[in-house]
Amino acid sequence: MNATVTEAELQAWVDGRLPPARAGAVDTYLELHPAEAARLQAYREQNAALRAVFNPLLDEPVPAAMTARPPGRGPGPAPAWPLPLRAAAMLALTLAGGGAGWLLHGAADQAALQALSADNAPNAAASLAALPRRAALAHVVYTPEVRHPVEVGADQQAHLVAWLSKRLGAPLKPPQLAAQGYELEGGRLLPGQSGPVAQFMYRDAGGARLTLYVSTEQTHNRETGFRFAQEGQVGVFYWIDGQFGYALSGNLDKAALAKVANAVYAQLEPAL
């Protein structure tokens, strides 16, 4: 890296907090290093996508469980929030403050997903409602990545499928979507509510990406038909089939995403 431009300054540029006196030096550096410029632009896109998903949460009322006192508790300081709630709140504040570019750098994105995934007593309704939001979060975190969008690429598909199948404890097979204009790019392992989940990523000729989020944690849910959720700028079609939960996410209009979701569903019988 150019000794006159630090990583901290680059991240400040991402977050819109770079001192004006350093703007010229950073702009010149990025003009001379297009790969770095692409990396930072991807972080900016991550920031925007994450805010689109989470900013609406700032307007929601505080859940009663976060403010209620245990039975029999008298006056005095309220008990601390449970760790998962504190972690999620810290993440939301960080995103609102413009620090997502650095937070998502390296392994921190995995820690954030893990914090949001912690849930010691999920019920059927909560588990189903959480599925599209978790899928959308994973989508906006990883689809902007330029260098490492997946852990294992499609050129190692046999290894990818065997690895994810072993970790999820169920046979997986990523759908083939060439007829819909999308090729498998690869996949990765993510933390879920109570165990690992898989994400398969697809890309079209123009570089647009879709992700299929696959969970095997649906022990409390019955089978469901297609459901649609709009999480910020990300549309999600999701459904339950036995122990499997599926969520297809993309920045497409509802009709276009539905066509791909139908193609995915057709290849998932009896299971992925």
Side-chain angles (χ1 to χ4, degrees), residues 106-179:
D109 48 7
Q110 287 281 7
L113 286 173
Q114 179 68 66
L116 288 176
S117 297
D119 187 350
N120 293 326
N123 56 48
S127 178
L128 181 60
L131 181 61
R133 179 153 289 178
R134 293 175 187 278
L137 173 58
H139 179 87
V140 299
V141 167
Y142 292 109
T143 54
E145 285 290 336
V146 176
R147 297 180 181 177
H148 305 292
V150 297
E151 284 185 275
V152 180
D155 58 333
Q156 302 179 61
Q157 183 171 335
H159 166 61
L160 171 67
V161 171
W163 171 52
L164 293 178
S165 296
K166 180 178 180 181
R167 292 303 308 272
L168 269 67
L172 303 182
K173 183 179 179 182
Q176 299 303 307
L177 302 176

Side-chain angles (χ1 to χ4, degrees), residues 66 92 178 196 223 225 251:
M66 296 172 64
E223 295 182 6
N251 294 77

Side-chain angles (χ1 to χ4, degrees), residues 215-237:
S215 164
T216 56
E217 303 173 313
Q218 310 304 316
T219 57
H220 299 287
N221 287 319
R222 298 179 179 178
E223 295 182 6
T224 69
F226 273 180
R227 300 189 183 193
F228 178 77
Q230 187 69 42
E231 300 287 347
Q233 298 178 359
V234 180
V236 185
F237 272 101

Side-chain angles (χ1 to χ4, degrees), residues 28-101:
T28 299
Y29 174 81
L30 294 177
E31 289 176 2
L32 297 174
H33 299 80
E36 284 291 278
R39 175 174 72 94
L40 298 186
Q41 183 58 37
Y43 288 155
R44 276 192 165 178
E45 292 173 1
Q46 284 179 335
N47 288 359
L50 283 166
R51 289 192 185 96
V53 170
F54 286 107
N55 277 359
L57 295 178
L58 300 178
D59 298 324
E60 294 182 2
V62 177
M66 296 172 64
T67 58
R69 297 176 182 276
R73 183 182 178 90
W81 291 0
L83 178 59
L85 294 178
R86 281 183 280 150
M90 291 173 63
L91 176 61
L93 290 172
T94 302
L95 298 180

